[in-house]
């Protein structure tokens, strides 16, 4: 069903109608096995009511477009457990808090795209020590003092580009210090990255003992750069490759302290950045407010802003960090919830994301529509004065994240009676430094908390499947306290309890073990942020907010199944026919009330049994086996509620018969 629900279903009416493909095999997207080792049960939905899909989620199902699938946990290579979180119980971790703060700083204009990203400047390759000064990688640093003072480049006074300029000045000094072939042709210099120094970490850069000895005002420290440490590592790494190099001669003067001092002296002689002073300290290259450094004859390197009113104000006559930092440009973030439909701008973003992040060569519009646009879920509009439906309604939606008018991310979600189910996320690779996977997940949790005021039943955040054997799926457990669905009894089990079992066996009946733990103290399972917290007191000149965290855990559905790739495992079905026949004896009563679609007519299976004789009995037995498996995987309540659409093979047998004429 393309582009959302049909108009007839828009009023909230309609039915759930599915085609049962039965058990099948497909390639595994988690372990990347060589053959079709992933075993699942597949359905194709012509239409699906929101509450029915909610019930399917609570039995371990997921959807790929209009195709529904459920792993057969005891047979598949990588058991996949549905994972969810109650939004009101969510505890934000340290790392997740850093992601929120970093986005806020970006929106406030305090930080910009990372140096070296396509948002700040064109990427360049590493520079050899023998690279000439007029090489393309050095051109960005050719900004004269006159150009600053005449404001020919006004955008450079925004903080992010200002830091980019400082980084370029350090790179220029680096070229001057290490010209020639003295260190060997294999040595490649890293690129310098100047970072803002937060107030709480300034004393980590300038020790208290040194402050007392030199009288250095820590409060005037604005920026720092650790390029000296990176240079030492690069040189030492390259030394064994030089046959004629004498390690003792080369290593004599490559300590971080000596390199930092050499860079500071070079910038003192050749620098032209007014308003800041540069000094080597403990191997770091530090930049200070030049006003308070003048008495100590520190180097003034020009970055004086073309803003005379700001610097001549009597209220700000004493220059400090607040007036050296340049005017901030605030950014505006908009989050829009729109019903699932094809949007060319979204598709263009999806193409960029898939080709750059997932390295796909071809991304077709057809595959995009089938995966993220088409949905069988019947849209239920909001009802005035009714607190059972949220303001946006129930259905499939695309949540757009727009910064200053630019679409940077799209979260594909399903809004259901009990939850927001996250399906997929794609984002602009230029904004990877903002960890948009984590950020959008946190915003979706916030959305649930807010929406509970209008729809109290909507309480949970479903993150898709958790695969304990796949490291890339482990990030989902960081949204705590989460629960995993027991694959047998369909009860929710605390992740900390389930993890103890999954560490030993990938497939487990989680609810059995959980019952034995009810009266026992809950174990303290260390999560990703517990490991990070061990390093909280490590001395570092950079605030933790400035670090880049691996964003391989982008928020997205685990991997797409496609019914066209699924092979119906007829051999497996035949091999289990004896077992199924025994089970069917006790399950006929379970399937007799299943409503079937017979060429547009609705007929219950028990009525179909009455009208067909021995000739059709063989085919009827085969249909019974298939429907019995169907009833087990969806549950009796759902099997009685949804319409079972016969596949073409059975339609040819039963649909052509005139024996059954529906009454009424």
């Amino acid at each position: 069903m393309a582009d959302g629900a049909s108009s007839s279903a828009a009023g909230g009416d309609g039915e759930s109608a599915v085609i049962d493909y039965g058990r099948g095999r497909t390639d595994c997207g988690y372990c990347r096995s060589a053959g079709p080792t992933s075993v699942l049960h597949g359905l194709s939905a012509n239409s699906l009511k929101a509450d029915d899909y909610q019930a399917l989620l609570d039995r371990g199902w997921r959807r790929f477009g209009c195709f529904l699938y459920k792993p057969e946990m005891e047979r598949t290579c990588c058991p996949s457990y549905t994972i969810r979180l109650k939004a009101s119980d969510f505890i934000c971790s340290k790392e997740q808090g850093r992601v929120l703060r970093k986005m806020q700083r970006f929106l406030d204009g305090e930080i910009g795209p990372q140096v070296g990203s396509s948002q700040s400047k064109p990427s360049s390759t590493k520079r050899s020590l023998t690279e000439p000064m007029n090489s393309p990688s050095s051109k960005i640093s050719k900004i004269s003092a006159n150009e600053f003072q005449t404001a020919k480049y006004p955008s450079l006074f925004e903080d992010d580009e200002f830091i980019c300029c400082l980084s370029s000045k350090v790179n220029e000094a680096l070229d001057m210090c290490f010209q020639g072939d003295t260190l060997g042709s294999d040595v490649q210099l890293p690129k310098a990255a100047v970072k803002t120094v937060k107030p709480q970490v300034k004393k980590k850069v300038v020790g208290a003992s040194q402050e007392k000895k030199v009288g250095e005002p820590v409060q005037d420290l604005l920026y720092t750069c650790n390029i000296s440490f990176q240079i030492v590592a690069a040189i030492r790494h390259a030394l064994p490759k030089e046959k004629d190099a004498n390690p003792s001669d080369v290593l004599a003067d490559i300590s971080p302290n000596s390199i930092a001092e050499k860079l500071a002296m070079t910038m003192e002689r050749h620098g032209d950045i007014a308003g800041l002073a540069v000094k080597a300290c403990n191997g770091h290259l530090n930049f200070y407010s030049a006003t308070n450094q003048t008495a100590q004859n520190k180097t003034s390197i020009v970055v004086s802003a073309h803003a005379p009113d700001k610097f001549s104000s009597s209220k700000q006559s004493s220059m400090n960090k607040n007036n050296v930092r340049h005017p901030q440009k605030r950014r505006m973030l908009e989050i829009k919830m729109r019903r699932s439909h094809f949007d060319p701008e979204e598709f263009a973003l999806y193409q960029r994301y898939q080709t750059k992040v997932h390295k796909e060569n071809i991304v077709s519009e057809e595959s995009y529509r089938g995966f993220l646009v088409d949905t069988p879920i019947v849209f239920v509009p909001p009802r005035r004065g009714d607190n059972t439906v949220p303001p946006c309604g129930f259905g499939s939606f695309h949540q757009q994240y727009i910064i200053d008018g630019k679409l940077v991310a799209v979260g594909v979600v399903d809004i259901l009676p009990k939850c927001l189910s996250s399906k997929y996320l794609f984002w602009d690779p230029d904004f990877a430094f903002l960890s948009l996977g984590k950020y959008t997940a946190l915003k979706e949790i916030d959305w649930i908390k807010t929406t509970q005021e209008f729809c109290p039943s909507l309480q949970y955040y479903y993150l898709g499947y958790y695969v304990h054997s796949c490291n890339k799926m482990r990030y989902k457990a960081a949204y705590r306290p989460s629960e995993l669905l027991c694959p047998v009894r369909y009860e929710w089990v605390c992740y900390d309890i389930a993890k103890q079992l999954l560490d030993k066996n990938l497939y487990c009946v989680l609810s059995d073990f959980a019952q034995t733990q009810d009266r026992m103290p809950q174990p303290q399972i260390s999560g990703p942020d517990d490991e990070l917290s061990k390093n909280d007191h490590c001395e570092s000149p950079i605030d933790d907010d400035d670090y880049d965290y691996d964003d391989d855990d982008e928020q997205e559905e685990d991997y797409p199944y496609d019914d066209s790739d699924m092979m119906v495992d007829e051999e497996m079905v035949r091999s289990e026919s004896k077992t199924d026949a025994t089970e069917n004896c006790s399950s006929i009563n379970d399937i007799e009330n299943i409503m079937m679609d017979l060429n547009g007519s609705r007929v219950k299976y028990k009525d179909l049994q009455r009208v067909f004789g021995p000739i059709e009995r063989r085919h009827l037995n085969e249909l019974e086996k298939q429907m019995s498996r169907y009833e087990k995987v969806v549950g009796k309540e759902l099997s009685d509620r949804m319409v079972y659409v016969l596949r073409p093979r059975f339609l040819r047998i039963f649909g052509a018969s005139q024996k059954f004429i529906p009454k009424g």
Side-chain angles (χ1 to χ4, degrees), residues 140-381:
I140 191 169
S141 64
K142 304 299 183 181
I143 302 174
S144 67
N146 182 60
E147 288 172 336
F148 273 109
Q149 293 167 350
T150 56
K152 292 182 180 180
Y153 296 90
S155 63
L156 289 172
F157 295 116
E158 297 176 14
D159 188 63
D160 55 325
E161 298 195 32
F162 174 72
I163 292 177
C164 178
C165 175
L166 282 182
S167 301
S168 301
K169 292 294 182 181
V170 176
N171 287 329
E172 184 177 345
L174 193 59
D175 285 329
M176 294 179 183
C177 289
F178 295 102
Q179 281 181 331
D181 198 24
T182 58
L183 296 179
S185 58
D186 286 349
V187 180
Q188 291 184 325
L189 296 181
K191 292 182 292 184
V194 175
K195 300 285 186 178
T196 302
V197 180
K198 287 290 188 177
Q200 58 267 31
V201 297
K202 287 182 180 179
K203 290 189 178 181
K204 296 179 182 179
V205 182
V206 181
S209 59
Q210 184 171 0
E211 180 182 349
K212 292 179 181 178
K213 181 169 60 177
V214 181
E216 196 168 66
V218 179
Q219 66 271 18
D220 296 320
L221 174 61
L222 304 181
Y223 308 101
T224 188
C225 179
N226 64 353
I227 186 64
S228 302
F229 296 92
Q230 300 175 40
I231 294 172
V232 170
I235 293 174
R236 289 179 175 172
H237 179 73
L239 279 179
K241 300 179 182 179
E242 294 291 335
K243 296 180 180 179
D244 301 329
N246 186 341
S248 60
D249 294 340
V250 178
L251 291 172
D253 194 34
I254 64 167
S255 68
N257 286 334
S258 61
I259 291 178
E261 291 173 358
K262 185 179 294 187
L263 289 173
M265 291 176 60
T266 303
M267 297 185 76
E268 182 178 353
R269 290 194 300 266
H270 302 282
D272 54 353
I273 310 180
L276 291 182
V278 62
K279 185 180 183 296
C281 182
N282 295 333
H284 295 90
L285 201 61
N286 294 339
F287 297 86
Y288 302 84
S289 172
T291 301
N292 291 323
Q293 298 291 333
T294 305
Q296 301 179 38
N297 295 322
K298 304 298 179 186
T299 306
S300 273
I301 324 181
V302 151
V303 250
S304 58
H306 187 63
D309 293 339
K310 179 177 180 181
F311 285 91
S312 61
S313 171
S314 58
K315 294 182 180 180
Q316 298 181 353
S317 58
S318 108
M319 184 178 291
N320 53 28
K321 176 179 176 179
N322 291 332
N323 56 26
V324 173
R325 295 285 294 273
H326 302 291
Q328 299 173 351
K329 178 183 177 182
R330 296 185 63 85
R331 302 174 175 91
M332 183 175 68
L333 169 65
E334 298 177 88
I335 303 178
K336 298 180 179 179
M337 184 81 80
R338 294 185 172 179
R339 286 182 59 190
S340 181
H341 70 286
F342 181 79
D343 183 325
E345 185 180 12
E346 289 183 0
F347 175 59
L349 179 61
Y350 176 77
Q351 284 182 309
R352 290 194 64 229
Y353 172 76
Q354 293 295 121
T355 54
K356 291 194 174 184
V357 177
H358 291 295
K359 311 302 179 185
E360 290 189 13
N361 295 325
I362 300 176
V363 182
S364 68
E365 180 180 321
E366 181 182 5
S367 65
Y368 169 71
R369 285 179 178 270
F371 180 27
L372 297 177
V373 178
D374 294 351
T375 175
I377 301 177
V378 176
F379 176 67
V380 179

